[in-house]
Amino acid sequence: MEAEKKPPVVSDLGAWGMNVVSSVGIIMANKQLMSSAGYAFSFATTLTGFHFTVTALVGWISRASGYSASKHVPLWELVWFSLVANTSITGMNLSLMLNSVGFYQISKLSMIPVVCLMEWVINSKHYTTKVISAVVVVAAGVGICTVTDVEVNAKGFICACVAVFCTSLQQITIGSFQKKYSIGSFELLSKTAPIQAVSLIILGPFADYYLNGQWLFNYSFSTGATFFILLSCSLAVFCNMSQYLCIGRFSATSFQVLGHMKTVCVLILGWILFDSALTIKNILGMLLAIMGMVVYSWAMESEKKATAAIPRNKSDMLDGEDVPLKSRLSGVPSDELDLEDGPMKS
């Protein structure tokens, strides 16, 4: 008899909600922390190192208290994953610095087709016409409401390509590791966070100096800046955790579509909290993106139902009218017959 499966601690909807709320919250906190009108903390790479330091600390406390178990994952795979993840972070920062905001947004939009292509190549995953159409609608809507000026140069283009490739590979690898090693999302995050934290804390100040020409050691930490750094780090724990949860339960493609929902939320909150401009073009783009997300959810649900309807074992194939005639005539149970010549062979 199979062991009874325990219900997940966090539901699928809860994982989505945690990711949206924490991601939007950390963007708002970082905007206040890093903007010139706020505390001018322009050390994005080092701040990410702080994020992973706090995440690693939470993971250590969780294991020490017995809340989470530790499963073996080869060290070289953890180092490889951390290298890809850190290259993604650095590449995104360089892309934003070297390119216009418009091209940076286009590079982020390109992650959806890149993730789809990589999942097709690596995991042999196929997508229905409905899903592809919905993804195109989402990308078009977000493009309309976010892309403005588009300027690019050779260095910026290379950085954008590296960032898109590494980010897509990182998100696919998260799901692959969880299945390969039967490890939970938080346990995997607890193993990768310390490596990323150490490497980013060491290399972050140099990367930030290259990006903005300022040293972290010369920054004057005020009470307000310290508060927002701690707030950003706290939100980062939930953001990282929910990212692993979402990709582990769904797919990297679904996570990218969710990411564009966060973009819409950020635009709306920026308009409410920071008096950002909101034009008719932005509104129409948001509506188109939201419509695409609804269609995507419907398409994925239809795909799940279609997959569930496909017979997966011998008992499914032998249900009802599919029972072999030989079994009906002899009265012998169908599962005792030789099925070598039948529709399926176990």
Side-chain angles (χ1 to χ4, degrees):
M1 184 176 180
E2 295 183 0
E4 185 179 353
K5 294 184 178 179
K6 295 181 180 180
V9 177
V10 181
S11 66
D12 294 345
L13 183 60
W16 285 122
M18 184 193 301
N19 188 259
V20 172
V21 172
S22 60
S23 298
V24 174
I26 199 173
I27 290 172
M28 295 294 108
N30 288 350
K31 185 176 180 64
Q32 180 65 25
L33 175 65
M34 304 180 74
S35 66
S36 56
Y39 295 98
F41 185 84
S42 55
F43 308 98
T45 309
T46 305
L47 179 62
T48 307
F50 294 162
H51 291 170
F52 281 109
T53 300
V54 175
T55 303
L57 178 62
V58 171
W60 179 81
I61 293 174
S62 178
R63 289 195 303 272
S65 61
Y67 178 76
S68 60
S70 178
K71 293 189 177 181
H72 175 70
V73 179
L75 179 61
W76 73 268
E77 292 216 73
L78 295 176
V79 172
W80 174 82
F81 173 83
S82 300
L83 177 63
V84 171
N86 289 350
T87 304
S88 164
I89 295 167
T90 306
M92 279 296 180
N93 289 338
L94 287 171
S95 175
L96 184 59
M97 181 189 76
L98 297 172
N99 299 315
S100 65
V101 175
F103 185 79
Y104 176 75
Q105 291 294 343
I106 289 177
S107 67
K108 290 181 67 177
L109 288 173
S110 68
M111 286 184 194
I112 288 185
V114 171
V115 165
C116 291
L117 179 62
M118 292 180 71
E119 285 199 315
W120 175 65
V121 172
I122 297 175
N123 300 325
S124 300
K125 185 171 183 176
H126 296 277
Y127 299 90
T128 64
T129 304
K130 296 176 184 178
V131 172
I132 294 174
S133 301
V135 167
V136 170
V137 172
V138 172
V142 175
I144 290 172
C145 65
T146 59
V147 176
T148 52
D149 59 311
V150 178
E151 296 179 6
V152 63
N153 54 73
K155 289 183 179 179
F157 180 77
I158 293 173
C159 289
C161 290
V162 170
V164 169
F165 176 80
C166 289
T167 302
S168 303
L169 182 60
Q170 174 205 4
Q171 294 178 358
I172 292 174
T173 305
I174 290 174
S176 299
F177 275 11
Q178 290 187 33
K179 294 175 183 176
K180 182 178 180 180
Y181 298 107
S182 300
I183 188 171
S185 54
F186 186 70
E187 287 75 18
L188 178 59
L189 177 61
S190 299
K191 288 183 173 295
T192 59
I195 302 174
Q196 290 185 254
V198 171
S199 55
L200 287 173
I201 289 294
I202 294 174
L203 300 176
F206 298 98
D208 289 327
Y209 180 76
Y210 175 76
L211 289 170
N212 56 48
Q214 299 179 28
W215 283 109
L216 172 69
F217 313 104
N218 296 331
Y219 181 78
S220 179
F221 287 88
S222 64
T223 303
T226 304
F227 169 78
F228 275 97
I229 289 173
L230 293 175
L231 176 61
S232 180
C233 290
S234 300
L235 290 169
V237 174
F238 293 99
C239 185
N240 290 328
M241 188 189 309
S242 59
Q243 176 185 356
Y244 280 55
L245 277 171
C246 289
I247 296 177
R249 295 178 181 213
F250 304 101
S251 69
T253 305
S254 296
F255 186 75
Q256 283 297 325
V257 173
L258 174 69
H260 293 313
M261 174 189 273
K262 292 181 286 189
T263 301
V264 173
C265 292
V266 168
L267 287 172
I268 294 174
L269 286 176
W271 173 62
I272 296 173
L273 300 176
F274 299 101
D275 295 326
S276 300
L278 194 64
T279 64
I280 296 296
K281 175 174 170 282
N282 297 140
I283 296 173
L284 291 176
M286 289 179 194
L287 293 175
L288 183 62
I290 292 172
M291 182 181 72
M293 291 168 197
V294 172
V295 174
Y296 179 82
S297 300
W298 168 76
M300 291 301 294
E301 191 65 27
S302 299
E303 187 175 334
K304 286 181 182 178
K305 290 181 180 179
T307 303
I310 298 175
R312 295 183 176 275
N313 52 46
K314 184 165 54 180
S315 61
D316 292 334
M317 292 296 295
L318 300 180
D319 191 19
E321 296 183 358
D322 290 327
V323 176
L325 180 61
K326 180 168 59 175
S327 175
R328 296 181 189 176
L329 294 176
S330 64
V332 180
S334 59
D335 57 356
E336 295 180 9
L337 297 175
D338 182 8
L339 299 178
E340 186 173 353
D341 298 325
M344 292 186 65
K345 182 179 179 181
S346 60

